[in-house]
Amino acid sequence: FYCGVHVFFSFTLLGKVPDAVNFWLGESAAVTSLHKDHYENLYCVVSGEKHFILHPPTDRPFIPYEFFQPATYKVNEDGSFDVINVQNAEKVPWIPLDPLNPDLGRYPEYSHAKPLHCTVRAGEMLYLPSLWFHHVQQSHGCIAVNFWYDMEYDIKYNYFQFLDSITKAMNAV
């Protein structure tokens, strides 16, 4: 579903309309763990600021993945919650590393990564290319809108898949 909203120059830049438009409202305690998306991303901050730690796809050999059991949250009457494992579900790959406080004893390869730090303030926009790893924090009361454009599965994607396969093979040795 396309609602007709897009950044005026994005069609010229990316050659298409967005696949999704997302609204983000949050507080300073909200943190997005390190991950990557298969979308070209135009990230616009309306109010407050977002703090990004960015890693290019070439840092993939230094970014650890582990497999985790899928789970859901159950809210208890006292407001606390329990984590309930989803039975008979395949484990999910996720990055266990916190780039704000990396455990280099456990993940020594991360010391070779070259993170970029970027703050996006109200009225500013960040172009976040597909397959770039990113960790996000925000100020209290931050409001943002982002526009996702499906990535092209071209040489960039094939390069990342190649790099990912080599990394997995090297880690298995």
Side-chain angles (χ1 to χ4, degrees):
F1 174 71
Y2 174 61
C3 64
V5 176
H6 64 92
V7 177
F8 72 94
F9 62 85
S10 63
F11 189 81
T12 303
L13 176 71
L14 298 168
K16 52 186 149 186
V17 296
D19 292 288
V21 179
N22 303 298
F23 174 80
W24 304 95
L25 172 65
E27 60 177 59
S28 58
V31 175
T32 303
S33 63
L34 189 62
H35 70 287
K36 65 174 173 33
D37 296 311
H38 288 81
Y39 292 98
E40 307 294 337
N41 188 347
L42 295 179
Y43 208 102
C44 308
V45 175
V46 176
S47 175
E49 54 188 40
K50 294 272 187 171
H51 308 285
F52 289 82
I53 298 175
L54 306 170
H55 287 280
T58 52
D59 272 357
R60 171 58 187 99
F62 315 123
I63 296 175
Y65 272 88
E66 292 179 5
F67 288 89
F68 294 89
Q69 184 67 39
T72 60
Y73 295 103
K74 177 185 172 228
V75 180
N76 299 316
E77 289 182 20
D78 64 0
S80 66
F81 63 90
D82 294 322
V83 177
I84 310 295
N85 286 339
V86 175
Q87 300 300 316
N88 301 319
E90 286 187 41
K91 291 191 173 185
V92 177
W94 202 253
I95 300 168
L97 179 122
D98 178 0
L100 295 172
N101 187 24
D103 182 348
L104 297 179
R106 187 170 177 190
Y107 308 110
E109 63 278 1
Y110 186 74
S111 66
H112 302 290
K114 303 293 185 211
L116 304 169
H117 297 261
C118 174
T119 297
V120 183
R121 294 176 179 83
E124 297 178 340
M125 178 175 57
L126 170 68
Y127 167 57
L128 181 58
S130 59
L131 303 176
W132 276 60
F133 296 93
H134 51 288
H135 172 276
V136 189
Q137 292 181 290
Q138 60 194 358
S139 64
H140 181 71
C142 185
I143 299 171
V145 176
N146 77 317
F147 300 82
W148 277 343
Y149 301 81
D150 199 15
M151 69 175 282
E152 297 296 324
Y153 289 86
D154 56 8
I155 190 69
K156 178 172 67 172
Y157 175 75
N158 290 319
Y159 170 74
F160 182 84
Q161 290 299 100
F162 174 71
L163 190 59
D164 190 52
S165 296
I166 289 174
T167 301
K168 289 174 182 174
M170 294 299 292
N171 289 338
V173 173

